[in-house]
């Protein structure tokens, strides 16, 4: 009986192996069709993925408001705390988008257009100042001359014409979202936020059924740690970037710096990239200020930005982030460098939370191996 059972298992194994080989061969033989099907699949689920991402970003604010409503003495508010928390967050988000669209974005747009239109004038002024320098100056070497020549030949206006910008935005929106997709994404995000307890309960039951208890406990721990790190980093850095952008914009406006709002939010946005972002954005802003307002204004602008960045680094950011991610500066610089080299700006931005998760995994593995060795000895 055991021999027949073993023989049967062997035949099932080889049958399944043959089916897998045929499927792989067919997939490779019709590679373009398979990739097209995969592309169609991801195109269909894009609004659902977008809805999950929106819900992920809005989870913590919804949780905070829900806790506030639960503490209310009014029975209606405490009973409907979750729905009211979700509704409050979405109303605030819509108001922020409306305010940005009506007030901030037009100013940024006008400043960008004006900057692009005046680039030839600024370029000519910079070249004249460069020509006034001594011939043995560093700025007269072949590399600098080549860069200047490349800038001269580059026609930036063709990329910033209003018609083309509208076309780019329209193509991008139509490629990623339609009105129906946006609606689906919002509905999915609202459903996830309002029904998150039931969804998480189902996922926990599913994981309990699939994995052994020890594996489930480890996966739960690392999932919670990773989620906390990613959410804390992304949400806090975004809020911090907005605050820094507003503060720098106000300061530069008071100083009379041209394109103050653009430069302010440019510095705030790049401030989301640890270490390198603030340096790169400030350096570019100083160069633009030298061209548009002179060296003296650029120096004062640099001093003010450095002071505001120090206030942010020592007061604002720690308050927003709460507990530190507990990563050494050397590890941050290393992760940002590697992330930027392989994945560009997005890699630089996500490098810190990723390396924080990897650090937890490595530390737990080391502790585990040391514990085993101590037990053996």
């Amino acid at each position: 009986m055991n021999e027949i059972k073993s023989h049967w298992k062997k035949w099932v194994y080889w049958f399944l192996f043959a089916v897998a080989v045929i499927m792989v061969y067919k997939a490779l033989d019709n590679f373009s069709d398979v990739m097209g099907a995969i592309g169609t699949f991801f195109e269909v689920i894009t609004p659902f993925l977008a809805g999950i991402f929106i819900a992920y970003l809005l989870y913590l604010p919804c949780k905070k408001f829900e806790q506030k409503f639960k503490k209310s003495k009014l029975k209606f508010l405490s009973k409907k705390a979750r729905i009211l928390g979700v509704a409050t967050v979405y109303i605030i988000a819509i108001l922020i988008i409306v305010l940005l669209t009506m007030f901030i974005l037009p100013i940024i747009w006008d400043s960008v257009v004006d900057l692009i239109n005046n680039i030839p004038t600024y370029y000519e002024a910079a070249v004249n100042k460069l020509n006034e320098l001594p011939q043995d100056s560093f700025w007269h070497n072949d590399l600098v001359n080549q860069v200047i020549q490349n800038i001269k030949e580059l026609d930036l206006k063709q990329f910033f014409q209003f018609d083309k910008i509208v076309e780019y935005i329209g193509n991008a929106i139509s490629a990623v979202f339609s009105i129906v997709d946006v609606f689906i994404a919002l509905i999915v995000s609202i459903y996830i936020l309002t029904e998150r307890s039931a969804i998480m309960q189902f996922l926990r039951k599913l994981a309990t059924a699939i994995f052994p208890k020890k594996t489930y406990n480890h996966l739960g721990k690392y999932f919670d740690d990773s989620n906390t790190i990613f959410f804390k980093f992304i949400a806090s850095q975004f809020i911090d970037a907005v605050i820094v952008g507003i503060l720098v914009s106000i300061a530069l406006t008071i100083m009379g710096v041209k394109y103050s709002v653009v430069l302010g939010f440019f510095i705030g946005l790049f401030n989301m990239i640890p270490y390198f972002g603030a340096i790169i954005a400030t350096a570019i802003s100083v160069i633009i200020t030298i061209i548009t307002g002179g060296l003296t204004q650029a120096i004062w602008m640099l001093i003010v930005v450095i002071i505001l960045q120090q206030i942010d680094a020592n007061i604002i950011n720690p308050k927003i982030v709460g507990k530190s991610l507990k990563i050494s500066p050397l590890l941050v610089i290393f992760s940002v460098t590697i992330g930027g080299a392989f994945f560009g700006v997005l890699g630089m931005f996500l490098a810190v939370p990723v390396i924080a998760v990897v650090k937890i995994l490595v530390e737990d593995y080391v502790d585990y191996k040391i514990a085993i060795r101590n037990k053996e000895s």
Side-chain angles (χ1 to χ4, degrees):
M1 184 72 180
N2 289 334
E3 188 177 341
I4 295 173
K5 192 174 181 181
S6 175
H7 187 69
W8 171 251
K9 283 184 177 180
K10 193 178 291 185
W11 272 105
V12 171
Y13 169 79
W14 284 110
F15 173 75
L16 293 175
F17 178 76
V19 171
V21 170
I22 293 171
M23 289 177 66
V24 171
Y25 171 76
K26 283 293 185 183
L28 293 175
D29 191 41
N30 301 278
F31 185 74
S32 60
D33 295 336
V34 172
M35 292 305 295
I38 293 173
T40 303
F41 171 75
F42 277 104
E43 187 177 338
V44 171
I45 67 169
T46 294
F48 295 93
L49 296 177
I52 293 171
F53 181 70
I54 294 170
Y56 182 75
L57 290 179
L58 298 180
Y59 164 71
L60 192 57
C62 288
K63 187 178 179 182
K64 295 287 185 183
F65 278 105
E66 181 182 341
Q67 291 172 349
K68 293 287 185 183
F69 283 117
K70 277 184 178 178
K71 294 177 182 178
S72 175
K73 294 180 181 179
L74 296 174
K75 208 172 214 181
F76 172 78
L77 295 180
S78 59
K79 193 175 180 180
K80 301 289 184 180
R82 175 158 297 180
I83 296 174
L84 291 172
V86 173
T88 303
V89 169
Y90 272 86
I91 290 170
I92 293 172
I94 291 170
L95 287 175
I96 291 172
I97 292 171
V98 170
L99 289 173
L100 287 173
T101 305
M102 292 179 63
F103 299 106
I104 305 297
L105 292 182
I107 297 172
I108 294 176
W109 173 260
D110 292 339
S111 298
V112 170
V113 171
D114 185 64
L115 175 61
I116 298 303
N117 290 333
N118 286 295
I119 279 179
T121 305
Y122 298 142
Y123 170 80
E124 186 177 346
V127 170
N128 291 334
K129 290 181 180 180
L130 188 65
N131 292 332
E132 293 173 2
L133 297 174
Q135 288 299 319
D136 58 348
S137 171
F138 164 79
W139 300 102
H140 280 291
N141 62 56
D142 294 336
L143 178 61
V144 174
N145 291 331
Q146 183 62 42
V147 171
I148 292 172
Q149 185 62 31
N150 291 338
I151 294 174
K152 184 178 180 180
E153 293 174 357
L154 184 64
D155 184 13
L156 292 175
K157 282 188 178 182
Q158 63 176 319
F159 300 106
F160 290 93
Q161 293 175 3
F162 181 78
D163 294 339
K164 286 190 174 292
I165 291 291
V166 173
E167 184 181 348
Y168 296 152
I169 295 173
N171 291 337
I173 293 174
S174 62
V176 179
F177 286 122
S178 66
I179 295 175
V180 176
D181 291 338
V182 172
F183 181 74
I184 292 173
L186 290 175
I187 294 299
V188 169
S189 65
I190 293 171
Y191 173 78
I192 291 173
L193 288 170
T194 53
E195 302 292 332
R196 60 180 183 271
S197 297
I199 295 171
M200 290 305 300
Q201 187 179 1
F202 168 75
L203 292 176
R204 289 193 185 99
K205 286 180 67 176
L206 182 64
T208 305
I210 295 174
F211 301 107
K213 187 176 181 181
K214 189 175 181 181
T215 305
Y216 168 78
N217 291 334
H218 282 301
L219 287 174
K221 174 184 177 297
Y222 290 125
F223 175 80
D224 291 339
D225 291 343
S226 302
N227 183 60
T228 301
I229 289 170
F230 271 91
F231 188 87
K232 188 188 335 182
F233 180 80
I234 293 172
S236 61
Q237 290 297 94
F238 177 75
I239 295 170
D240 183 66
V242 173
I243 293 173
V244 171
I246 292 172
L247 291 176
V248 175
S249 298
I250 293 171
L252 298 186
T253 302
I254 294 171
M255 294 173 60
V257 175
K258 202 167 186 180
Y259 313 121
S260 56
V261 178
V262 173
L263 297 180
F265 278 93
F266 176 66
I267 292 172
L269 181 64
F270 269 71
N271 205 51
M272 296 175 72
I273 301 172
Y275 289 96
F276 296 118
I279 296 171
I280 294 170
T282 304
I284 294 173
S285 299
V286 167
I287 293 171
I288 293 175
T289 306
I290 290 174
I291 296 172
T292 58
L295 182 61
T296 304
Q297 190 180 60
I299 293 172
W300 280 109
M301 175 257 193
L302 178 62
I303 294 171
V304 170
V305 169
I306 290 174
I307 292 172
L308 290 175
Q309 285 177 341
Q310 290 304 309
I311 293 172
D312 171 64
N314 294 288
I315 300 175
I316 300 173
N317 195 277
K319 286 286 185 183
I320 295 173
V321 174
K323 294 181 180 178
S324 172
L325 296 180
K326 297 179 181 178
I327 305 175
S328 69
L330 182 62
L331 195 58
V332 171
I333 294 172
F334 173 77
S335 63
V336 171
T337 303
I338 298 299
F342 285 94
F343 303 103
V345 175
L346 183 62
M348 295 175 73
F349 173 65
L350 295 177
V352 175
V354 169
I355 204 68
V357 174
V358 173
K359 177 175 172 283
I360 292 173
L361 294 173
V362 172
E363 286 178 346
D364 286 355
Y365 175 77
V366 171
D367 292 340
Y368 171 74
K369 297 297 289 185
I370 291 174
I372 290 178
R373 187 174 297 174
N374 292 338
K375 191 179 289 186
E376 289 176 349
S377 61

